[in-house]
Amino acid sequence: MKNLNSPRTVAAVQSQRAVTMMLYPVPLIVFLVAWQLYTISDSQRQFIFSSPEKVYSAFTTLIVSGDLVRHSAVTLMEALTGFVLGTTCGAVIGLSLWYSRLVSTVAKPYITALGSIPIFALAPMIIAWFGIGIVSKIALAFLSTVVVAIVQSYQGAMSAEPRFLRLMQVFGASRLQTFRTVILPSSLIWVVNAMKLNIGLALLGAFIGEFISAEQGLGYMIVRASGLYDMATVIAGVFTLVVLALLLTSVVEQIERRLLPWRSN
Amino acid sequence: MVTSNLYFRAPKKALTISGLKFSYQKDASLPVLNDISLSVRAGEIISVLGKSGCGKSTRLNLIAGLMKPIAGEISINHDKSRCNIGYIFQEDALMPWRTVKANLALAQEIGKVPHQQWQVSLMDLLSRFHLSENILEMYPTQLSGGMRQRVSIIQSLLFNPQLLLLDEPFSALDFCTKLRLEGEFYRFIKDTYRAAVLVTHDIEEAIALSDRVIILNNNGTIEADISVTFDYCQRDPESIRGVAEFGEHYRLIWAKLKAVISQ
Ligand SMILES: Nc1ncnc2c1ncn2[C@@H]1O[C@H](COP(=O)(O)OP(=O)(O)OP(=O)(O)O)[C@@H](O)[C@H]1O
Ligand SMILES: [Mg+2]
């Protein structure tokens, strides 16, 4: 489409984008200023709500000591591994359910049941099985993501447009050809949506594991700090978690652009 | 036409339907089609007219093997192989995730049409249907409705079908483009000696293009099977509209169709 745009509209789009970029930090700044004004020179409030100043100094301490990077790396690794494994396995399972109506019919209630189990309930058991190391966190991140990926990709496979399936039938395509040409591409949107949902779920899974029992990771750091009523470190940890989630989401958006180029038109 | 020898010449009988019956209900009540018999020869174009909802698309679906009839036989050529059929749906079926070129390449991927032949046929068909090569790199959403219809037609033709089923293929076009495409389509079918069954709502189009016009009744039977012949040897869908016989055919068909539609 690039060549269809006149230079003026390109410039207009660019300046629009610049304005949007400038507006992005505004709510954050407003929030920080309000927070600072509310807690300034009131130690009672500062104890409960901490303050931007304190959080900032907690950040510097954590960064200087290397703790923040170490804990973040652990959480990121757990969540990412669980995410990749869970999403891949889920997509493979979900898409292959399309192949057999019988298997998918039998599997459906199990998948629904699996999806309705809160991960919180499983966490103690998983930790008992896999220990308090990173494996149990990866398992939790995997379990939180795999169901969403199965359900989404199966839905994607089943919601392929009938007109394309009819076309394949008229062309005399085999089931494998139909899978490759129609089912796979039309479920990609769903798989990408599963990825978007799963970023948050994987982080949550890893975090819950760390929260319950761990020796490292952001969840561990936050639990320990809140035990010490160190609100500044808690908030710094939460903030880091949010930044990780945003970072991963933007990676998924990049992947989306790669996988679904026709949608950007 | 130089290109006509590129395409396989179909044997005489392209399609035979006998005693076809179909119903969407399990208990076979309210049949959409009831005891339909029909045969189409190679090189023949047949138009099907009828009230909206009378079962025209259903009939094409049955011929294409997308649905199974309750009773009756459909035979295409001598064998029953499905790849002999091209079907252009009422709505286009171009995949939005493939470029136009990749959509057209399905003939290579699925139809096993050799690359060389595909390439030559593609260039021929693009120029026949007045599409520029530039559209090949575009996505279907970037095309107009009329362009998508033409691409759909080309997509089917690249499979080299001997029987073409078309469900209102020229409906999304302006009158001039429509006339031109009708002409190209007519010549293509005749040059390459294929058969076509064309569903349309346009009586003029039916007369201009076809050798026979079939009017379907609302209860699933054939109301009339009218031959459309002209004493005019150079038949061309555009100029034929000005011939006196065209008006006669029009009046006859309109009278029958009006009776069916107003039922
Ligand atoms: N999948 C379906 N299930 C049940 N009934 C259907 C189905 N498809 C079509 N019908 C019914 O069968 C009849 C014939 O439909 P069909 O699509 O063949 O009509 P048509 O002649 O092509 O109409 P139009 O000119 O509007 O395209 C209609 O009355 C419709 O309600
Ligand atoms: Mg129809």
Side-chain angles (χ1 to χ4, degrees):
Chain A
M1 290 290 271
K2 230 173 275 164
N3 51 347
L4 296 179
N5 284 331
S6 71
R8 212 177 118 250
T9 56
V10 170
V13 166
Q14 271 170 357
S15 77
Q16 174 121 38
R17 193 171 296 160
V19 170
T20 318
M21 290 304 266
M22 268 154 61
L23 285 176
Y24 264 132
V26 170
L28 181 68
I29 291 166
V30 170
F31 173 73
L32 288 177
V33 169
W35 186 13
Q36 177 71 18
L37 289 177
Y38 183 67
T39 52
I40 202 160
S41 64
D42 185 334
S43 58
Q44 187 74 34
R45 285 178 181 174
Q46 279 189 10
F47 181 72
I48 301 171
F49 298 107
S50 187
S51 74
E53 223 182 316
K54 284 195 157 181
V55 173
Y56 178 77
S57 70
F59 255 123
T60 16
T61 321
L62 284 169
I63 288 170
V64 169
S65 68
D67 280 356
L68 192 69
V69 172
R70 191 163 54 85
H71 290 308
S72 303
V74 169
T75 305
L76 188 65
M77 200 274 283
E78 293 163 350
L80 215 54
T81 314
F83 167 82
V84 171
L85 288 176
T87 307
T88 315
C89 290
V92 169
I93 294 169
L95 289 176
S96 50
L97 283 179
W98 173 82
Y99 249 84
S100 160
R101 180 146 299 173
L102 180 69
V103 176
S104 69
T105 314
V106 174
K108 220 179 243 166
Y110 290 97
I111 293 169
T112 316
L114 207 63
S116 65
I117 299 174
I119 203 73
F120 260 118
L122 290 181
M125 202 165 66
I126 298 293
I127 289 171
W129 289 347
F130 295 103
I132 63 164
I134 56 168
V135 180
S136 59
K137 281 72 182 180
I138 292 173
L140 280 167
F142 173 83
L143 283 176
S144 336
T145 51
V146 75
V147 178
V148 172
I150 292 176
V151 172
Q152 286 276 324
S153 53
Y154 179 66
Q155 289 268 345
M158 294 315 281
S159 63
E161 282 191 54
R163 57 189 174 135
F164 301 140
L165 296 174
R166 258 185 302 158
L167 192 73
M168 289 291 112
Q169 213 179 332
V170 171
F171 289 161
S174 69
R175 203 148 168 84
L176 183 65
Q177 283 172 328
T178 306
F179 182 79
R180 271 212 321 252
T181 4
V182 176
I183 302 299
L184 206 58
S186 39
S187 57
L188 267 185
I189 293 176
W190 295 72
V191 173
V192 167
N193 280 338
M195 288 166 82
K196 286 181 182 165
L197 291 170
N198 276 345
I199 283 294
L201 289 176
L203 278 170
L204 191 67
F207 183 77
I208 288 171
E210 291 171 357
F211 206 86
I212 290 177
S213 171
E215 287 167 331
Q216 50 188 348
L218 285 174
Y220 164 77
M221 188 183 99
I222 290 171
V223 171
R224 200 188 46 178
S226 61
L228 299 172
Y229 291 101
D230 179 2
M231 289 306 162
T233 307
V234 172
I235 290 168
V238 170
F239 190 77
T240 313
L241 214 57
V242 170
V243 169
L244 286 186
L246 288 177
L247 217 76
L248 291 177
T249 305
S250 79
V251 171
V252 168
E253 272 162 9
Q254 288 298 322
I255 295 174
E256 177 178 20
R257 229 158 282 154
R258 279 281 162 76
L259 284 180
L260 314 170
W262 72 92
R263 289 194 95 205
S264 50
N265 286 306
Chain B
M1 268 295 147
V2 202
T3 46
S4 58
N5 56 356
L6 274 174
Y7 304 96
F8 179 71
R9 287 193 165 243
K12 275 254 157 240
K13 265 258 178 60
L15 168 73
T16 315
I17 298 174
S18 57
L20 196 65
K21 188 174 171 176
F22 180 82
S23 166
Y24 281 104
Q25 281 77 33
K26 282 216 177 67
D27 57 359
S29 62
L30 295 172
V32 179
L33 299 172
N34 208 346
D35 198 20
I36 298 259
S37 296
L38 175 77
S39 81
V40 184
R41 278 177 294 110
E44 197 174 32
I45 304 177
I46 291 201
S47 289
V48 180
L49 290 172
K51 195 175 175 173
S52 180
C54 73
K56 302 182 296 294
S57 300
T58 305
R59 214 174 67 131
L60 293 189
N61 288 341
L62 284 166
I63 298 172
L66 297 178
M67 303 188 294
K68 290 266 166 291
I70 296 172
E73 283 255 341
I74 299 170
S75 71
I76 291 122
N77 293 327
H78 37 277
D79 63 337
K80 290 199 157 69
S81 118
R82 291 295 166 209
C83 33
N84 282 328
I85 300 182
Y87 189 173
I88 291 114
F89 300 120
Q90 203 161 355
E91 79 278 30
D92 76 81
L94 299 174
M95 298 169 193
W97 55 84
R98 284 174 170 249
T99 59
V100 169
K101 190 174 186 178
N103 267 293
L104 296 174
L106 285 177
Q108 287 186 71
E109 291 170 30
I110 294 167
K112 299 277 173 290
V113 174
H115 180 75
Q116 189 69 26
Q117 187 193 337
W118 179 84
Q119 189 77 35
V120 176
S121 311
L122 176 65
M123 290 307 142
D124 170 44
L125 287 166
L126 281 179
S127 70
R128 271 177 188 271
F129 288 97
H130 303 279
L131 289 170
S132 96
E133 275 178 51
N134 298 336
I135 65 154
L136 289 176
E137 300 310 323
M138 292 187 185
Y139 284 100
T141 47
Q142 293 171 292
L143 303 181
S144 74
M147 286 161 111
R148 280 202 294 275
Q149 265 183 335
R150 279 178 274 172
V151 173
S152 289
I153 296 176
I154 294 177
Q155 183 187 48
S156 284
L157 292 179
L158 284 169
F159 277 80
N160 198 15
Q162 286 138 54
L163 173 65
L164 265 178
L165 310 173
L166 303 103
D167 205 341
E168 298 176 38
F170 307 121
S171 57
L173 303 170
D174 68 272
F175 192 67
C176 280
T177 316
K178 184 178 147 119
L179 280 185
R180 217 168 53 195
L181 280 190
E182 281 175 7
E184 296 300 339
F185 172 76
Y186 183 85
R187 276 187 288 279
F188 181 82
I189 296 288
K190 297 296 174 182
D191 287 351
T192 60
Y193 206 59
R194 283 157 215 266
V197 178
L198 171 78
V199 166
T200 172
H201 283 296
D202 180 347
I203 302 180
E204 283 192 23
E205 180 176 291
I207 301 169
L209 282 178
S210 47
D211 302 294
R212 270 157 67 209
V213 172
I214 286 172
I215 300 175
L216 279 188
N217 209 320
N218 297 334
N219 55 20
T221 53
I222 293 179
E223 173 76 22
D225 184 340
I226 301 158
S227 308
V228 182
T229 46
F230 291 95
D231 292 337
Y232 195 75
C233 54
Q234 267 289 258
R235 185 166 166 179
D236 147 41
E238 189 182 335
S239 52
I240 205 83
R241 288 172 201 249
V243 177
E245 285 162 292
F246 192 90
E248 287 164 28
H249 285 304
Y250 191 96
R251 275 187 292 280
L252 174 68
I253 292 171
W254 176 224
K256 301 235 180 209
L257 192 61
K258 203 151 92 182
V260 169
I261 289 178
S262 57
Q263 262 173 24

